Structure formats: structure tokens, C-alpha cells
Amino acid sequence: MEMDYKFLFKVVLVGNAGVGKTCLVRRFTQGLFPPGQGATIGVDFMIKTVEVENEKIKLQIWDTAGQERFRSITQSYYRSAHALILVYDISCQPTFDCLPDWLREIQEYANAKVLKILVGNKTDRDDREVPTSIGEEFAKQHGMYFLETSAKQADNVERLFYEIAAELIEQARNKEVPPRSETGGLANLGNKNFSQSNCCASLNVGMSGSGGNN
Amino acid sequence: MQNDGDGSPSVEDREYLLTCKRRVAQFVQKWVIAVRNVVFEDPVAVDFIEELASEVEADPELQEEASVMHHVLSQIARYQEDRNLHNGQKWKLPPNGQPICLFSGNPSATRTLIRPDDDIIFRVYCADHTYCTLRFPIAATAEMIKACASDKLQLNRAPDDLFLVEVKSNGERSVFKDNDVSVPTALSLNGRLFVSPKDHLDAMTPLPEQEAATEGLDIDIEVLSTKELAFHMTLFDWDLFWAVHEYELLYHTFGRHHFGKITANLDVFIRRFNEIQYWVVTEIVHTPSLSKRVSLLRKFIKLAAYCKEYQNLNAFFAIVMGLSNNAVSRLMQTWDKIPSKFRKIFTEFEALIDPSRNHRAYRMFVGKLQPPLIPFMPLLLKDMTFAHEGNKTSLDGLVNFEKMHMMAQTMRTIRFCRSRHLVLDPPTPKSEGEVRSYISCFRTIDNQRVLTAMSHKLEQSRRA
């Protein structure tokens, strides 16, 4: 297999049906919303290579859309995920109300150290039901990074994935082992914990502040 | 189907007209074959076909087409006959989480379709767990059910102040839209329907019996032949799969409330997937003896292998996913004791269900199979969702045909899977009756927290 990238990260999107998970992925991987002609879904459409700090990073994005009624299938996606994007729709309160259920599931299935990002999607809608501050507060309580996006207007979509890539590289470097390797070793344990406790804080400081672009 | 009245057309014109007429008849036939029930259910469409058929028959130059139309008419007649036979069918959503089934009659009779005007009998609870039993057509809206339940339960609230909500066994709540249809069939395995004041949604908690397993036959499955189990599961699942209309996938994907059309047959098939999967987990965590658990695990791996052989890939996935469920996969003492041959087979199965590269392994595998086969339905639903969410339905007032083709391709997969009737060599019958009733109603716990807790009781975590 060719290796044209240094890191491979698995990013999983979860959240209620209809919150726009697929639109986020397609916006990011193809830059289109919703694409018109000539856009067929290829088997590999959810892989994108990005460059952060001169490193080539392959993001493998796993979308659980359409399988919300098969919880155990989404559960099987969590395995070995490096980052989890939990999406709700800011114009639909019930999708926000389900977040604790999703978190419980994540807690059970995903690696405890997985990077978690809360995303309030559809900021282009003018019938907002979930205020930004509520989303932010919830994210803070649960040690998640927070961002509001609009897949439709491409707001914050690139940023979301680039920041995830940057954070994951940071984590991987701190661990000094390549991602996906199982050979963590005892020597790195202290380091791991350190980087873990730091990651949420640095994300909050670094990202949920000003809304500038990259 | 009208000729120009005056003047006799030239030979070319006559030929052209004739070709056009033939094409219309052929198109109608193809359309009817593709869409079937939805055409037969539509009185306007049936009127049109009947009129067309009599016009075609009256034309001496269209004898071949007349026989085509005759064939179409006889299909309509057969459908209506079947419909009358099953008129006023009554279904029930049993109170203890068992699968949806006919209210009365022979349970082992071949299943029929669930139709929009069939009735279904089910319970609606309120916060204090008192309930009323309702009977509604499958096509009834959530609003109708809500109003009736509120009345029967004497909630003294305006329907506008109420939600119809499902409370799942893990306490999760999901609210139905007022214009939702086929509500009772859409519930999760051990979910219950509640009516709740809008400001008291938090007060809706699961019933005590939702903590326990759904009711199933209490049979030691070790005494049943694995091959026989797989055989009857495949026949049973095939009937459920057969009842699903391709359009139900459309309604499901776009939202059935947009169409006011039911998705009950698809709902039942979806439930079946979850039922099989949680049955596997439930049986394993319900087996305290290590040696019995080891042989049960072997049996399930064999069962998956037979289902794969019978091309029942839906059940195959469900079983393998059940065995990969955290509550089972963490039982290292159990896994350590099964022969390496079985572990190797299971690793191969896991590779087949691996979702990497959008389920590449499964797509390659299934691409080589010949019908009849039962596909892994969740993937088809995922494909439908992707095509729908990722593409606009219309652009500048024009229909996006590319999107429609994509969705049609998925629906065509379903047609391909059942383009041949299922004919399997039956295994030597050992306990046929018992097996058939057992597989039609599995005992399941669908609350992951409960399953995990039970699993931890069986084998303590090594690190703990």
C-alpha cells in the first residue's frame, strides 16, 4: 500500500437523523453543498488528505447517517476512532436534547481518550431554537470542543476538520507513537495523561474564542 | 389512443402512430411490473389502465399489446382478490415487546403485507404508567392517536399541549411529529408509546418491564439443530423482506410524513434486524455457566455461517454484530475456550462486516452472488440517505435526475435480490414446529447498559 501521508486519523460523525451529518462531510470532502451534476457517491468519498504544519494527514471520515435506527451499527464505528463529532441542529431542540444519550453511548464504546467535538449545525437557518451559549455550556461541561457550522454556507466546515487534524497531530506527537499503533508502552503513560488533560483546555482557548478563519 | 378523424393518414404516419401506441402499452406494462401494489392501490391509475386496455383491445392492429394489457389486468385482479381475502386484517403490537404480528389466526401461516387501512392494536401509556389500549388503522396520524389517548386517559389537556413520544428501554425519548403515520410499527424493540404534556416530557420514564427482556419462548437452544434454525430464520426473514415495497425506502428516506404513506413493512424488517442482534447478545449474557457459554458462542458462529450459506445476509450481519457487541466481545474467558478454527471463521466474518471504505468487503462479496438473497438492509438505507442528503431534489425548478437515478439504483438492488423465488433444500426436520415458533419471537434485551452490566457479572474486568 502506498503511504503518501504521515498520519491516518479516523473521525466519526454521530447525532440524530437529519442534523446534516452527510452535508458536513460532503461540504468538506468535495466543497459542495448539495452537489448537483456529476456527483456520485464513490466508495472512498469520505477520505480527504489535508496538510497541517507541512504534514500530510489523511482523514478517514465515517458518517453514520441513515443508520440511526441501528444503534449497534453506529457503535461498531466508534472502535478505534480518534475523534468523534457529535452533531445537532441548532433549529431543532429535540436533536440537542438527545445529546446526553449519545454521550452515554460514546462513553461506553469509544476510547476514553477520544477527541470529542460538539457541532451545532445549520447556522444559516433563522429559526434557531438552541442558543449558542447553551451549546457552548454543554460542551464545556462534558469536556468537548464546540463549534457552530453551516454546511450550506460552508461556515466553519473547513475549520472544523483542520482544527481536528491539528489537535490530533499534537496528541500523536505528545505520545511519540504513530497513531493506530497498539504499542503504547508504559513509558508514555504519564505523557498521555498530560496531553489528555491539556487537550480540552487548549482547544477551548484556541478555538471557541474568536471566529476568524484559518 | 385517438386517431385523427378526417383524412386518411399516409402509410408512414400510420406506421408512426402504431409504433407510438405500442410503446405506450409496453411502457405501461413495465411501469406496472416495477411499481406493482402502489399502482394497484391507486383508483385513478387502475381506471386509466382499464380504459387503456379496452382501447387497445378495440384496435385490431394491436393484438400483441392487447395480450400484454390483458396480463396487466389479470395482475390487478389477482391483487384485488388477495386484498379482499385479507381485508380488515388486524395486527397487534404485543405489550411485552414481542414482534408485531397478526392479532388472531394461525401464527405459522404465511405472512401477508401490512396495508395502510389494516388496523393495529397497541397500548399508549402516560407518566404514571397507566395505559389505554387503542385500535387504529396503520395509516392513522400521530395527532389522531394523541387526541384519542388523551381522551381515554382523561388527561384534560388540549392535544396541542401534548406530545406522542416513544420511551426506549434506556430511557431515551423521541417525539413523533403530528403528521407522522405508521407510528406503532416505528417503535424500537422494547420501546413503548407515551402521551405526555409538552412541559413534562422529563416525567416519562420506562416501565419496569422495559428493564427486563422482551418475552420469547424459553427453550434451551442447544437442543435445536443449528442448520434448522438458520433454515427457518431464512424462510421467516424472506417473508418479511418480500413484504417490503421499494417505495417504503423512499418514504423512509424523505420522511414518511411528506407522503402520508406507511413504512410498516420496512419497519418490521428493520425491527427484525435489531431483534436478531440483541437476541444473540441477550442469550450469551443470560448464560452463567462458562462451558455452556462457550458452546453457545460456537453455535452462534455456526448459525452465522449457515445464514451466509443461505444468502440471508441481513441475519448474518445481525448475528456477527451481536457477537461483536461489547458485552460479548469482552468475554475473554469465553472466547479463549472456543477452538481456533471457530475463531478464525469469526475473524473472517468480522472482516466481511467491516464498514471500512463504505463496506467495501461486503459490497464485493454480495456483488458476486446470484438471487435470491436477503441483503443487509441497513446499508441500503444508508445509501438512500447519502444520495438524498447529499443531493438537491430539484435545481432551478428542474428535477435532479442524477439523484433519482442514484436512489433508483438502490431500489433496483432490492428487486434484483428477490428476482428469483427462494427455494432451499430443507434440512432433516428434527423439531420443526418448535424451531418455527422459537425463531418468530426472540427474547431480547435492547438496553446496552443492562447487557454490559450482565456481561461484567459473568466475567469481571481483568484490570479491575
Side-chain angles (χ1 to χ4, degrees):
Chain A
M1 219 169 116
E2 48 164 346
M3 291 282 281
D4 54 345
Y5 54 90
K6 183 152 182 199
F7 294 98
L8 174 71
F9 295 121
K10 178 172 163 185
V11 181
V12 180
L13 276 100
V14 292
N16 277 26
V19 296
K21 296 186 286 290
T22 306
C23 297
L24 277 173
V25 179
R26 297 203 80 163
R27 171 57 103 177
F28 175 62
T29 55
Q30 303 180 333
L32 297 162
F33 178 93
Q37 317 295 308
T40 42
I41 296 182
V43 166
D44 285 328
F45 87 105
M46 285 178 294
I47 290 184
K48 184 160 169 164
T49 310
V50 295
E51 212 174 301
V52 178
E53 296 167 37
N54 299 321
E55 299 275 24
K56 277 208 169 135
I57 297 123
K58 204 164 194 169
L59 289 180
Q60 203 180 44
I61 304 162
W62 298 47
D63 184 349
T64 57
Q67 300 188 321
E68 291 86 354
R69 274 173 81 179
F70 306 95
R71 271 300 165 80
S72 51
I73 299 181
T74 42
Q75 285 160 5
S76 71
Y77 286 15
Y78 293 140
R79 219 179 282 172
S80 72
H82 296 95
L84 287 174
I85 306 179
L86 181 49
V87 191
Y88 68 94
D89 172 357
I90 60 132
S91 66
C92 180
Q93 182 73 36
T95 65
F96 184 82
D97 296 339
C98 284
L99 294 179
D101 298 314
W102 285 109
L103 275 179
R104 216 183 297 137
E105 198 172 289
I106 288 169
Q107 212 172 7
E108 175 143 1
Y109 283 95
N111 184 324
K113 294 180 179 68
V114 71
L115 180 68
K116 285 175 287 187
I117 306 97
L118 181 65
V119 169
N121 191 31
K122 304 199 189 176
T123 51
D124 50 278
R125 298 279 296 252
D126 46 19
D127 51 346
R128 179 189 280 271
E129 287 184 5
V130 186
T132 308
S133 59
I134 300 283
E136 224 163 28
E137 184 56 29
F138 186 89
K140 211 173 180 180
Q141 270 175 20
H142 295 92
M144 286 186 284
Y145 160 57
F146 178 70
L147 200 65
E148 284 190 342
T149 57
S150 164
K152 194 170 181 177
Q153 293 172 346
D155 282 345
N156 274 345
V157 177
E158 290 263 305
R159 182 170 165 217
L160 168 68
F161 289 99
Y162 274 88
E163 298 278 7
I164 288 172
E167 181 57 32
L168 288 173
I169 292 190
E170 185 68 26
Q171 282 189 13
R173 284 196 181 132
N174 282 344
K175 278 183 223 159
E176 290 174 288
V177 286
R180 297 183 70 83
S181 149
E182 307 282 330
T183 56
L186 274 174
N188 286 318
L189 250 177
N191 213 350
K192 258 186 203 164
N193 289 337
F194 178 73
S195 78
Q196 171 63 15
S197 64
N198 242 11
C199 94
C200 300
S202 74
L203 270 170
N204 279 328
V205 173
M207 295 174 71
S208 67
S210 69
N213 47 28
N214 309 316
Chain B
M1 283 291 133
Q2 270 174 6
N3 274 321
D4 289 43
D6 47 3
S8 45
S10 67
V11 176
E12 289 84 29
D13 282 353
R14 280 169 51 87
E15 279 295 310
Y16 176 73
L17 273 175
L18 205 59
T19 315
C20 286
K21 287 176 182 176
R22 288 192 171 130
R23 282 202 189 132
V24 170
Q26 279 155 9
F27 173 79
V28 167
Q29 185 215 17
K30 290 222 160 75
W31 174 60
V32 171
I33 288 174
V35 183
R36 309 178 314 277
N37 307 359
V38 181
V39 175
F40 304 152
E41 296 259 352
D42 184 346
V44 178
V46 173
D47 276 353
F48 162 73
I49 292 167
E50 280 170 354
E51 201 184 323
L52 181 68
S54 64
E55 294 275 353
V56 170
E57 208 164 333
D59 193 329
E61 286 180 301
L62 293 172
Q63 283 322 296
E64 217 171 291
E65 284 68 31
S67 89
V68 165
M69 290 309 294
H70 182 77
H71 177 66
V72 170
L73 285 181
S74 68
Q75 276 195 313
I76 297 179
R78 210 179 315 147
Y79 178 83
Q80 282 167 348
E81 213 171 280
D82 182 65
R83 206 198 150 90
N84 291 337
L85 198 67
H86 297 286
N87 207 12
Q89 258 180 166
K90 270 191 308 209
W91 301 86
K92 67 174 170 187
L93 178 67
N96 291 314
Q98 303 97 319
I100 290 153
C101 58
L102 279 167
F103 185 72
S104 55
N106 185 0
S108 58
T110 33
R111 270 189 88 99
T112 63
L113 304 181
I114 303 178
R115 297 168 210 270
D117 49 0
D118 283 355
D119 277 347
I120 183 158
I121 294 153
F122 55 97
R123 287 181 181 178
V124 180
Y125 295 82
C126 55
D128 64 3
H129 293 173
T130 53
Y131 65 88
C132 62
T133 303
L134 301 181
R135 172 175 168 178
F136 267 105
I138 302 272
T141 60
E143 198 174 14
M144 291 157 73
I145 296 172
K146 195 169 75 176
C148 183
S150 144
D151 194 41
K152 281 206 170 183
L153 292 163
Q154 298 175 329
L155 294 182
N156 299 321
R157 291 265 197 157
D160 280 353
D161 271 349
L162 298 167
F163 276 139
L164 191 67
V165 57
E166 175 189 0
V167 178
K168 296 180 185 167
S169 62
N170 63 4
E172 204 177 312
R173 306 174 191 99
S174 66
V175 173
F176 284 97
K177 294 187 185 72
D178 274 349
N179 55 356
D180 242 331
V181 292
S182 53
V183 169
T185 54
L187 295 190
S188 66
L189 276 184
N190 208 0
R192 299 290 188 279
L193 208 51
F194 280 68
V195 60
S196 158
K198 282 191 177 169
D199 47 352
H200 281 97
L201 206 52
D202 291 354
M204 304 303 128
T205 52
L207 311 174
E209 59 260 43
Q210 279 179 272
E211 287 286 318
T214 63
E215 237 172 66
L217 283 182
D218 197 11
I219 296 179
D220 180 7
I221 69 165
E222 286 295 342
V223 301
L224 304 177
S225 134
T226 312
K227 192 167 185 181
E228 211 176 359
L229 277 169
F231 174 77
H232 287 290
M233 277 173 77
T234 303
L235 295 188
F236 186 85
D237 295 353
W238 177 258
D239 281 347
L240 299 185
F241 175 52
W242 188 259
V244 178
H245 194 281
E246 295 93 322
Y247 278 11
E248 289 185 69
L249 275 85
L250 270 186
Y251 308 148
H252 178 90
T253 308
F254 283 82
R256 52 186 187 273
H257 57 280
H258 290 305
F259 300 84
K261 299 275 194 182
I262 67 160
T263 53
N265 296 294
L266 178 60
D267 290 339
V268 168
F269 194 61
I270 288 174
R271 261 181 88 110
R272 179 68 175 169
F273 181 89
N274 288 328
E275 185 190 348
I276 295 174
Q277 172 180 248
Y278 283 113
W279 161 64
V280 169
V281 188
T282 304
E283 288 305 321
I284 298 265
V285 298
H286 258 301
T287 309
S289 141
L290 178 61
S291 62
K292 279 202 171 161
R293 214 157 54 234
V294 171
S295 68
L296 190 59
L297 185 55
R298 283 176 56 162
K299 194 175 185 85
F300 279 133
I301 295 173
K302 265 164 69 183
L303 186 66
Y306 281 125
C307 284
K308 180 167 165 256
E309 209 176 290
Y310 286 135
Q311 307 201 138
N312 182 357
L313 299 168
N314 199 58
F316 167 78
F317 261 73
I319 297 164
V320 178
M321 279 191 170
L323 295 177
S324 324
N325 185 295
N326 202 20
V328 178
S329 64
R330 62 169 294 284
L331 298 171
M332 290 321 293
Q333 293 169 35
T334 316
W335 284 97
D336 281 348
K337 284 208 159 59
I338 63 165
S340 60
K341 189 184 97 188
F342 279 84
R343 240 174 303 155
K344 191 167 159 278
I345 294 173
F346 185 69
T347 312
E348 283 168 24
F349 288 173
E350 274 195 313
L352 205 50
I353 73 159
D354 177 8
S356 298
R357 303 181 71 192
N358 205 357
H359 281 290
R360 188 164 194 272
Y362 167 73
R363 289 182 203 267
M364 302 281 282
F365 171 76
V366 83
K368 289 182 203 128
L369 298 182
Q370 289 303 310
L373 68 101
I374 308 177
F376 171 45
M377 188 58 98
L379 188 59
L380 295 175
L381 294 174
K382 185 178 177 177
D383 288 349
M384 291 290 283
T385 308
F386 278 20
H388 175 51
E389 284 190 6
N391 301 282
K392 273 193 169 165
T393 301
S394 57
L395 287 166
D396 307 324
L398 299 173
V399 173
N400 181 357
F401 261 72
E402 189 148 358
K403 170 176 181 169
M404 301 305 144
H405 281 307
M406 260 188 227
M407 300 186 100
Q409 192 54 44
T410 304
M411 294 192 278
R412 218 170 280 133
T413 310
I414 293 188
R415 287 185 62 190
F416 171 78
C417 291
R418 38 191 200 198
S419 55
R420 276 190 219 143
H421 285 282
L422 183 74
V423 185
L424 298 175
D425 285 335
T428 337
K430 290 180 186 124
S431 37
E432 194 184 339
E434 218 174 1
V435 169
R436 283 176 60 171
S437 17
Y438 179 74
I439 60 103
S440 68
C441 179
F442 290 129
R443 161 176 80 160
T444 59
I445 293 173
D446 68 343
N447 183 342
Q448 190 62 44
R449 259 173 302 154
V450 175
L451 293 169
T452 308
M454 291 174 78
S455 163
H456 277 273
K457 262 186 209 159
L458 295 178
E459 291 182 24
Q460 305 263 315
S461 182
R462 273 183 189 176
R463 267 178 237 162

